[in-house]
Amino acid sequence: MQIQFCGAAKTVTGSCHLLTLDNGKKILLDCGLYQGSSIEMRDFNSIWYFNPAEIDTIILSHAHIDHSGRIPKLVKDGFRGKIYCTSATRDLCAIMLLDSAFIQESEARQQSKREHKEIKPLYTEDDVKLTLKLFRTVEYDKHFYIENNVKVCFRDAGHILGSATVTLDIETENKNIRIGFTGDVGRYDRPILKDPTPMPICDYLISESTYGGVTHEESPVENDKLVKIIYETCIDNKGKLIIPAFSVGRTQEILHRLDQLEHDGILPNIPVYVDSPLAINATEIFRIHPECMDDDMHKYMLHDDNPFGWNNMKYVKNSERSKAINQSDEACIIIAASGMAEAGRVKHHIFHQIENANNTILIVGYCAENTLGAKLVKKPDEVKIFGILKKVNARIEVLGSMSAHADTPELLRFFESQNKSSMKQFFLVHGEEKRQVRLKNILEEQGYHDIVIPELGESFVIE
């Protein structure tokens, strides 16, 4: 038996890990799209380290595109097995993968015009429709078999709606082996979602390491800094507060925080625009999955049946309305995708507003290297957007409290359920190498051993 790391190796995107059993069966843990502009990863989304037709099963940790976004490409190239995930993940994938296909087709058409030749999209909406027929849903804490000798269980990861950690109990001729995969680990005491559920003791553990060596400055429920930024930007400066946010997870958390502030009479009377059609659909899916929400959210919904909206919150459904907001001088809050500001409507908002010193761009989540969001975090004097150099006169702020990823203290808390002496290997994935090295050193200080930072495409024997 062996594990091969086919994505998210020394990078925070493109999650994909292949487990090959002794009998030749192949199980894929996630199949994510690489998001970023690294030259070294330019061809990642179109190539495979394996034959897609030979994959028997996909175990999907959650719906974020960097974990699910290449599944339609896998289907297009021959995969016909089953895709297991939670029901909330399946519902989110239904809208997110169709949105991704729309982007793939649009970009292919634009590139075809630029290069005066036919460029085919990575996959199409038809590929997504076929993909969705392969999904099978299983709820948290229920064991199920994907092979006669492989039992799987999802546990709540607390990262986004429907996110799960995965444990695989594999029966071999000599003994039973348990392999754990964290997917993305969420934060404790965070609004809306339940805390991460501890994993059972694993022989082999594959863990994300996004915030290795980092401690978030603010707690997950901290609102003081957000309120201060809103008043300074929108009331004092009469400017626009632009928040790049993932359509799924981050946008809903921001809306709920603002809903609470509005309910308490703290939010100023200014328009709040959610400029993302995908976020509109995702918010509806949040409403139909209360089983993923924590007790505080359930209590809140007893007196507010719409925890993600209020009278002055407006959804922007078409591009013409989005353009009109940019042309307006009104003070407002704009929440738009993508979260890393690398694409989507938010990139247009930043392009038009970044040279105005009255405005603020608020980064509320992790931004991979080489993305526009990552460049803005460094607060440069100027930045290139759509090939045009723009002065960075707008204020740049970072709010770590809204991160959906556990920081290092939270990861150490999450790992407390593991047996340090019995674990055979501890693999760190989904993190930049410098973060992984720092986390590895911290884990070794805590008594963990045989910690591995895999290279892309590297394989390891599971004994």
Side-chain angles (χ1 to χ4, degrees):
M1 185 160 47
Q2 72 173 21
I3 181 79
Q4 184 180 18
F5 295 92
C6 305
K10 297 185 178 180
T11 186
V12 188
T13 188
S15 180
C16 186
H17 317 296
L18 175 63
L19 181 63
T20 303
L21 306 183
D22 290 338
N23 61 6
K25 294 289 185 179
K26 297 181 185 296
I27 301 166
L28 207 58
L29 303 174
D30 286 353
C31 188
L33 198 70
Y34 174 79
Q35 296 172 299
S37 55
S38 168
I39 295 175
E40 293 81 5
M41 299 292 286
R42 180 179 53 195
D43 300 321
F44 176 85
N45 290 329
S46 59
I47 62 175
W48 302 106
Y49 285 88
F50 46 80
N51 181 352
E54 294 179 356
I55 302 298
D56 296 285
T57 307
I58 297 175
I59 306 294
L60 179 59
S61 66
H62 64 286
H64 273 155
I65 290 298
D66 63 329
H67 291 257
S68 71
R70 272 205 306 168
I71 298 178
K73 169 65 174 171
L74 195 77
V75 172
K76 179 180 179 180
D77 292 348
F79 171 74
R80 291 297 182 272
K82 295 176 182 177
I83 305 163
Y84 290 96
C85 63
T86 65
S87 59
T89 292
R90 192 272 175 197
D91 290 347
L92 288 173
C93 280
I95 59 171
M96 295 178 72
L97 294 179
L98 284 170
D99 180 74
S100 178
F102 175 80
I103 293 171
Q104 302 294 334
E105 293 180 86
S106 297
E107 289 182 348
R109 284 194 296 271
Q110 294 169 7
Q111 190 177 352
S112 295
K113 289 180 181 178
R114 288 195 303 268
E115 299 183 11
H116 304 290
K117 64 179 181 180
E118 183 183 6
I119 303 296
K120 293 185 178 181
L122 195 66
Y123 52 82
T124 67
E125 290 187 13
D126 287 339
D127 296 317
V128 173
K129 291 173 183 176
L130 177 57
T131 299
L132 294 174
K133 294 178 180 179
L134 304 178
F135 274 77
R136 302 292 185 271
T137 62
V138 183
E139 297 314 306
Y140 293 125
D141 305 313
K142 295 185 181 297
H143 291 87
F144 61 99
Y145 282 89
I146 59 172
E147 299 289 342
N148 291 334
N149 65 326
V150 181
K151 183 171 63 175
V152 179
C153 187
F154 292 129
R155 291 174 176 84
D156 198 333
H159 174 63
I160 66 165
L161 194 80
S163 62
T165 63
V166 180
T167 51
L168 301 98
D169 288 296
I170 304 169
E171 300 176 14
T172 69
E173 290 183 1
N174 301 320
K175 61 184 295 186
N176 294 338
I177 296 174
R178 178 175 288 158
I179 299 174
F181 173 47
T182 67
D184 286 349
V185 181
R187 304 192 65 190
Y188 294 88
D189 303 316
R190 185 174 164 225
I192 303 175
L193 300 177
K194 296 176 182 177
D195 288 351
T197 301
M199 296 181 72
I201 294 173
C202 298
D203 300 304
Y204 296 84
L205 183 60
I206 305 165
S207 174
E208 70 121 311
S209 52
T210 309
Y211 282 105
V214 174
T215 300
H216 295 312
E217 291 183 6
E218 307 95 8
S219 74
V221 292
E222 178 61 62
N223 281 326
D224 290 349
K225 185 176 179 180
L226 174 61
V227 172
K228 185 173 183 288
I229 292 170
I230 291 172
Y231 272 87
E232 289 177 349
T233 302
C234 302
I235 303 303
D236 297 344
N237 294 339
K238 303 290 190 294
K240 288 179 167 60
L241 173 59
I242 301 168
I243 307 178
F246 293 111
S247 298
V248 177
R250 198 63 40 79
T251 293
Q252 289 74 32
E253 179 172 343
I254 295 168
L255 288 177
H256 181 52
R257 286 181 181 229
L258 295 177
D259 186 86
Q260 290 176 305
L261 294 174
E262 196 277 338
H263 180 269
D264 294 338
I266 299 172
L267 185 69
N269 186 30
I270 55 171
V272 176
Y273 297 105
V274 180
D275 192 5
S276 168
L278 179 59
I280 299 171
N281 294 329
T283 303
E284 291 302 314
I285 291 173
F286 266 69
R287 290 195 183 104
I288 64 173
H289 282 285
E291 77 278 5
C292 297
M293 299 177 186
D294 62 18
D295 291 341
D296 288 341
M297 189 63 165
H298 289 156
K299 291 175 184 176
Y300 188 85
M301 292 174 70
L302 291 176
H303 61 79
D304 185 348
D305 60 359
N306 181 11
F308 306 108
W310 60 100
N311 290 338
N312 226 4
M313 191 276 287
K314 309 173 191 300
Y315 285 120
V316 180
K317 296 185 178 181
N318 60 67
S319 59
E320 293 306 314
R321 181 67 180 122
S322 178
K323 293 174 184 177
I325 296 171
N326 270 326
Q327 295 166 1
S328 168
D329 292 330
E330 71 175 345
C332 62
I333 298 173
I334 303 169
I335 305 165
S338 69
M340 298 185 189
E342 186 63 15
R345 292 183 182 179
V346 79
K347 192 170 183 179
H348 292 271
H349 288 298
I350 292 172
F351 178 84
H352 289 286
Q353 305 299 333
I354 197 168
E355 294 187 323
N356 186 337
N358 293 325
N359 298 331
T360 298
I361 300 167
L362 178 59
I363 305 298
V364 296
Y366 184 85
C367 295
E369 283 187 318
N370 302 308
T371 60
L372 176 58
K375 294 171 185 175
L376 291 175
V377 167
K378 297 176 182 177
K379 301 183 180 181
D381 293 328
E382 53 189 19
V383 67
K384 189 172 286 189
I385 308 175
F386 299 125
I388 298 173
L389 206 59
K390 306 286 283 188
K391 293 282 188 183
V392 182
N393 296 327
R395 173 182 170 192
I396 308 297
E397 290 287 349
V398 179
L399 195 60
S401 66
M402 290 192 190
S403 173
H405 283 271
D407 62 8
T408 293
E410 289 166 324
L411 282 174
L412 293 177
R413 177 179 172 182
F414 182 73
F415 298 146
E416 285 177 356
S417 63
Q418 299 303 309
N419 187 319
K420 299 174 184 177
S421 60
S422 67
M423 188 185 295
K424 292 182 171 58
Q425 276 185 307
F426 198 139
F427 297 103
L428 298 182
V429 297
H430 205 278
E432 295 170 9
E433 186 175 9
K434 62 183 179 182
R435 299 285 184 216
Q436 293 177 317
V437 170
R438 291 176 68 183
L439 181 57
K440 177 182 178 181
N441 292 337
I442 292 169
L443 289 170
E444 288 175 340
E445 291 171 0
Q446 294 285 322
Y448 293 92
H449 60 92
D450 290 318
I451 302 166
V452 180
I453 301 174
E455 298 285 346
L456 182 61
E458 191 172 6
S459 297
F460 296 84
V461 174
I462 302 296
E463 302 252 347

